[in-house]
Amino acid sequence: MQFDTKIAVVIRTDLQAWQKLNVASFLTSGIAAAFPECIGDPYEDASGTQYLSLIGQPILIYGADGPALTRALDRALTRNVKPAVYTEDMFKTTHDAANREAVKAVARTDLNLVGIAMRADRKVIDKIVDGLKFHS
């Protein structure tokens, strides 16, 4: 199935494994919150046990170093795509309000990004992530 939109997550490659997984989880929750229409129907197994809904389209995960991550953020913003962001300072916080404060305290050009996520038209996302490789 071909989707009109694409979801892309870009994660800094030098993070520890637990950090990469944490960042990906938080960033995709931002996509789900901003685009409720991307959530599919709930699941149910053959025994009748019900499960939560998931995002109903593939999520492509790219790896990047710091400068490439910043470049992807700039490309997104110049194309009017509002991304979810996760900064290194957020690893030091313990709750949601503190995460927002950590981002608010730093100018965009000085954000120490570890990940971004966005959903937009396929061609727009392709331009934003141009040159990036899938995370391995």
Side-chain angles (χ1 to χ4, degrees):
M1 174 178 212
Q2 182 87 358
F3 292 92
D4 293 336
T5 60
K6 189 180 275 189
I7 298 172
V9 177
V10 184
I11 298 177
R12 208 171 72 198
T13 54
D14 65 342
L15 300 176
Q16 295 178 42
W18 74 266
Q19 291 174 314
K20 291 176 185 179
L21 295 170
N22 186 272
V23 170
S25 297
F26 274 104
L27 290 173
T28 55
S29 73
I31 297 299
F35 300 99
E37 68 274 14
C38 76
I39 304 298
D41 292 328
Y43 287 76
E44 183 176 329
D45 65 26
S47 301
T49 306
Q50 296 183 354
Y51 305 97
L52 296 175
S53 301
L54 302 175
I55 291 175
Q57 72 181 92
I59 300 170
L60 304 173
I61 310 232
Y62 297 87
D65 61 12
L69 193 51
T70 299
R71 185 171 51 253
L73 174 63
D74 292 341
R75 288 176 176 175
L77 295 173
T78 61
R79 289 170 173 80
N80 294 318
V81 174
K82 184 190 288 187
V85 298
Y86 201 102
T87 68
E88 194 165 308
D89 292 335
M90 292 167 69
F91 288 128
K92 301 171 192 162
T93 65
T94 58
H95 56 88
D96 190 45
N99 285 342
R100 282 192 298 281
E101 290 171 13
V103 174
K104 180 97 172 152
V106 181
R108 182 171 56 92
T109 55
D110 296 324
L111 289 173
N112 191 359
L113 293 170
V114 296
I116 62 172
M118 59 226 127
R119 179 179 185 255
D121 180 81
R122 296 178 57 80
K123 292 178 183 178
V124 172
I125 293 293
D126 289 344
K127 290 180 181 180
I128 293 169
V129 299
D130 185 50
L132 297 180
K133 304 285 185 219
F134 288 121
H135 203 298
S136 56

